[in-house]
């Protein structure tokens, strides 16, 4: 089946829908004929997106939701099933970045990355998956990892760690769903390469909370990521690739299959040969190869 046959007419819930690949996934889901539940902490962003989709003949609602709060995510699920309908596609996408040396990272910044990027996915699974299991129709869960989920990158450790965790969470969840016999549920991991978003501008740096904090290193890494953004993939184009791969039944959904796939091969080789991580002359996230 193609993506329209698979997803068209269903309900998609997307966290972090206000910008970047989240907004791209929402726009392409709309093109496929899905009804959208747009969740984000940025009320203005999702309200604007909702207005655009509705003006284009779509069905969409916007819900302000902080994925760090399990009660808020549970309420998102309750509201969706009560007011919109059974969920065909859950996209746990909300995520943030953090730059700087790990030893300089403020505890609050570390907790924020983990609470959003990792716990936010867990809260989404816990709130929605039991309802999706209980419904008879096929349903999909997408958790957003990253090319960073199969890489080691300096000066972005909290983000990279979180994306490794999301990938492991998703792989384990797939096995658990299979073990429990829920054959109508498809769990899939999304690994974007560089996709245009505001994640780098919005990323935390290292506030000078103690003597010796290397703010310059953090800002240098942010600048490098912003340079890469100039050649990054359009979010709607990335979404189309992901939807097509999902409809084909693939597990690892790669926005740039060749480029992200090469990072996966490299990761496998590193683990097989046990070669220590090596510094690069330029960042792993080189978007010019998509």
């Amino acid at each position: 089946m193609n993506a329209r046959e698979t997803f068209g007419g269903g309900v998609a819930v997307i966290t972090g829908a206000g910008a970047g690949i989240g907004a791209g996934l929402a726009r392409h889901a709309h093109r496929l004929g899905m009804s959208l539940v747009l969740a984000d902490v940025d009320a203005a962003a999702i309200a604007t997106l909702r207005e655009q989709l509705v003006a284009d003949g779509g069905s969409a609602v916007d819900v302000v939701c902080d994925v760090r709060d399990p009660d808020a995510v549970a309420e998102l699920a309750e509201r969706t099933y009560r007011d919109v309908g059974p969920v065909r596609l859950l996209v746990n996408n909300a995520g943030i970045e953090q730059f700087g040396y790990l030893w300089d990272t403020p505890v609050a910044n570390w907790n924020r990355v983990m609470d959003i990027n990792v716990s936010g996915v867990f809260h989404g699974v816990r709130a929605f998956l039991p309802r999706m299991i209980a419904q008879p129709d096929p349903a999909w869960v997408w958790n957003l990892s990253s090319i960073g989920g199969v890489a080691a990158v300096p000066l972005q450790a909290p983000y990279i760690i979180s994306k490794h965790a999301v990938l492991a969470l998703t792989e384990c969840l797939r096995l658990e769903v299979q073990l429990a016999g829920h054959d109508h549920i498809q769990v899939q991991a999304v690994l974007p390469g560089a996709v245009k978003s505001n994640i780098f501008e919005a990323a935390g740096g290292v506030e000078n909370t103690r003597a010796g904090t290397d703010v310059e290193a953090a800002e240098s890494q942010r600048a490098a990521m912003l340079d890469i953004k100039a050649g990054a993939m359009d979010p709607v184009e990335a979404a189309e690739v992901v939807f097509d791969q999902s409809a084909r039944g693939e597990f690892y959904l790669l926005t740039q299959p060749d480029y992200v796939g090469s990072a996966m091969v490299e990761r496998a080789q590193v683990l097989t040969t046990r070669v220590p991580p090596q510094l690069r002359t330029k960042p792993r996230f080189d978007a010019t190869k998509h």
Side-chain angles (χ1 to χ4, degrees):
M1 295 178 67
N2 62 34
R4 182 175 295 276
E5 292 171 333
T6 300
F7 296 105
V11 173
V13 177
I14 303 173
T15 67
I21 194 168
L25 291 167
R27 292 183 188 282
H28 190 64
H30 159 65
R31 291 180 179 179
L32 295 176
M34 301 194 78
S35 297
L36 278 301
V37 176
L38 311 170
D40 205 302
V41 293
D42 188 337
I46 52 174
T48 298
L49 179 56
R50 172 187 53 78
E51 290 170 0
Q52 293 170 348
L53 297 181
V54 171
D56 193 40
S59 173
V61 297
D62 54 306
V63 181
V64 176
C65 180
D66 186 340
V67 298
R68 294 176 293 180
D69 181 353
D71 292 336
V73 181
E75 174 58 28
L76 174 66
E78 173 67 26
R79 177 174 173 179
T80 297
Y81 274 81
R82 183 187 67 231
D83 299 340
V84 183
V87 175
R88 184 170 300 176
L89 173 63
L90 169 66
V91 184
N92 290 308
N93 166 70
I96 60 169
E97 255 279 19
Q98 170 69 34
F99 296 122
Y101 289 111
L102 187 59
W103 57 85
D104 281 334
T105 302
V107 171
N109 291 34
W110 167 272
N111 288 339
R112 183 167 178 261
V113 171
M114 296 303 155
D115 287 347
I116 294 173
N117 294 14
V118 183
S119 295
V121 175
F122 167 66
H123 297 325
V125 168
R126 192 166 182 272
F128 281 91
L129 188 54
R131 297 172 183 266
M132 298 167 79
I133 288 171
Q135 67 194 44
D137 296 328
W140 284 256
V141 176
W142 295 356
N143 295 332
L144 269 286
S145 180
S146 165
I147 188 174
V150 293
V153 182
L155 299 172
Q156 294 176 245
Y159 175 80
I160 297 299
I161 291 164
S162 74
K163 293 306 182 179
H164 276 254
V166 170
L167 183 56
L169 181 158
T170 308
E171 290 169 334
C172 292
L173 181 63
R174 177 182 173 86
L175 294 175
E176 292 183 4
V177 166
Q178 290 177 340
L179 180 65
H182 303 306
D183 297 335
H184 66 301
I185 303 293
Q186 294 295 319
V187 176
Q188 296 166 318
V190 183
L191 282 77
V195 175
K196 290 185 186 297
S197 76
N198 64 356
I199 192 170
F200 300 138
E201 292 92 333
V206 284
E207 293 84 355
N208 195 10
T209 55
R210 63 184 182 187
T213 298
D214 196 337
V215 176
E216 183 177 348
E219 293 309 312
S220 175
Q221 185 70 1
R222 188 200 305 269
M225 293 298 101
L226 289 173
D227 286 344
I228 287 173
K229 176 184 173 181
M233 191 175 192
D234 177 80
V236 179
E237 292 178 6
E240 182 176 4
V241 173
V242 168
F243 269 98
D244 288 345
Q245 290 173 354
S246 176
R248 293 197 298 268
E250 300 182 26
F251 174 73
Y252 299 101
L253 311 181
L254 316 179
T255 57
Q256 298 105 316
D258 291 342
Y259 172 55
V260 180
S262 71
M264 298 172 78
V265 170
E266 182 178 319
R267 179 66 176 172
Q269 291 173 339
V270 166
L271 294 175
T272 301
T273 61
R274 292 178 285 179
V275 174
Q278 305 293 317
L279 284 171
R280 297 174 175 273
T281 56
K282 62 180 180 179
R284 165 78 257 185
F285 302 104
D286 182 354
T288 61
K289 297 181 181 179
H290 75 67

